[in-house]
């Protein structure tokens, strides 16, 4: 069995999930119609899908979208466009965007704290490697596990995005570990699976709602030989 000295984790859909509260949508309409559960779910999918694009974009809007996780202002413009193109009025789009970039809006998976705490006690180094344009550290502080994360490697801070090798190499260098001794855990084969190109192993988790995935991280790690 390969020795695991470090685990890299994706953030959205892996350790935490953006799960809407109905109050977010109070008074908000889509194309002047009240929002029902199906429409809410589709809006959240458009806001959290790790890859692809869900609305039409001109060249400038597409450039903003492609580079959204490198610059906060591009992130804002890209997601406001998605919301406006989904039929949300401008003031409501701005309100929903504020929710998106507020770490307090993100819900941890039921086993996130247990996994991070166990890895720390086992002496396994942890990095959160995320394509993101806002500081997510407060979410970990609120959960009481910030000290369990050795490094936060955030795209807008390091100037690189998954799946490019650079962001994974930065994480490995900061942790001081070899790729052969490192496991990447994420919900996107396309983005997070890019770690395999630099020699890491990869474990896929399903970005289900948090109440439907009570132990997905534990099971993914166990399958890769890391017992929690």
């Amino acid at each position: 069995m390969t020795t695991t000295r470090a685990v890299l984790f994706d953030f959205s859909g892996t350790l935490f999930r953006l799960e809407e509260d109905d109050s977010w949508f109070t008074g908000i309409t889509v194309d002047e119609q009240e929002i029902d559960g199906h429409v809410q779910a589709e809006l959240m999918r458009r806001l959290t899908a790790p890859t692809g694009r869900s609305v039409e974009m001109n060249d400038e809007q597409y450039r903003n979208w492609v580079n959204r996780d490198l610059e906060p202002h591009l992130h804002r413009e890209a997601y406001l466009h998605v919301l406006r193109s989904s039929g949300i009025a401008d003031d409501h789009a701005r309100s929903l965007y504020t929710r998106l970039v507020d770490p307090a809006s993100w819900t941890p998976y039921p086993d996130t704290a247990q996994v991070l705490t166990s890895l720390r006690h086992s002496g396994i180094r942890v990095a959160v490697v995320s394509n993101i344009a806002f500081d997510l550290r407060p979410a970990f502080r609120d959960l009481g596990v910030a000290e369990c994360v050795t490094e936060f490697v955030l795209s807008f801070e390091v100037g690189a995005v998954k799946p490019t090798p650079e962001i994974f190499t930065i994480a490995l260098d900061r942790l001081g570990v070899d790729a052969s001794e490192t496991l990447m855990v994420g919900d996107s084969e396309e983005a997070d699976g890019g770690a395999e190109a630099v020699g890491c192993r990869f474990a896929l988790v399903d970005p289900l709602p948090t109440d439907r995935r009570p132990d997905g991280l534990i099971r993914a790690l166990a399958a890769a030989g890391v017992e929690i």
Side-chain angles (χ1 to χ4, degrees), residues 17-66:
R17 191 172 188 270
L18 185 67
E19 296 187 331
E20 74 277 15
D21 185 297
D22 287 345
S23 66
W24 296 5
F25 297 91
T26 301
I28 295 178
T29 60
V30 170
D31 295 327
E32 300 183 356
Q33 299 293 318
E34 288 189 7
I35 294 178
D36 62 19
H38 294 295
V39 173
Q40 282 190 27
E42 173 59 18
L43 285 172
M44 298 306 290
R45 185 194 70 79
R46 294 183 182 189
L47 291 174
T48 58
T51 59
R53 50 178 165 172
S54 52
V55 300
E56 292 187 7
M57 301 176 185
N58 61 30
D59 289 346
E60 179 181 359
Q61 290 160 346
Y62 183 62
R63 283 193 297 272
N64 290 344
W65 182 253
V66 169

Side-chain angles (χ1 to χ4, degrees), residues 118-188:
S118 178
L119 291 174
R120 185 191 188 203
H121 289 163
S122 299
I124 295 176
R125 300 179 182 183
V126 168
V128 174
V129 182
S130 178
N131 286 354
I132 204 159
F134 62 91
D135 186 5
L136 49 75
R137 292 174 183 86
F140 291 83
R141 289 197 291 269
D142 289 347
L143 190 60
V145 294
E147 72 283 357
C148 297
V149 180
T150 313
E151 294 287 342
F152 288 91
V153 183
L154 312 182
S155 59
F156 82 105
E157 293 181 341
V158 301
V161 296
K162 298 176 291 187
T164 61
E166 183 181 0
I167 193 168
F168 301 110
T169 300
I170 290 170
L172 295 171
D173 288 346
R174 288 186 178 181
L175 294 177
V177 295
D178 293 329
S180 61
E181 299 174 312
T182 302
L183 173 69
M184 174 75 207
V185 181
D187 69 310
S188 170

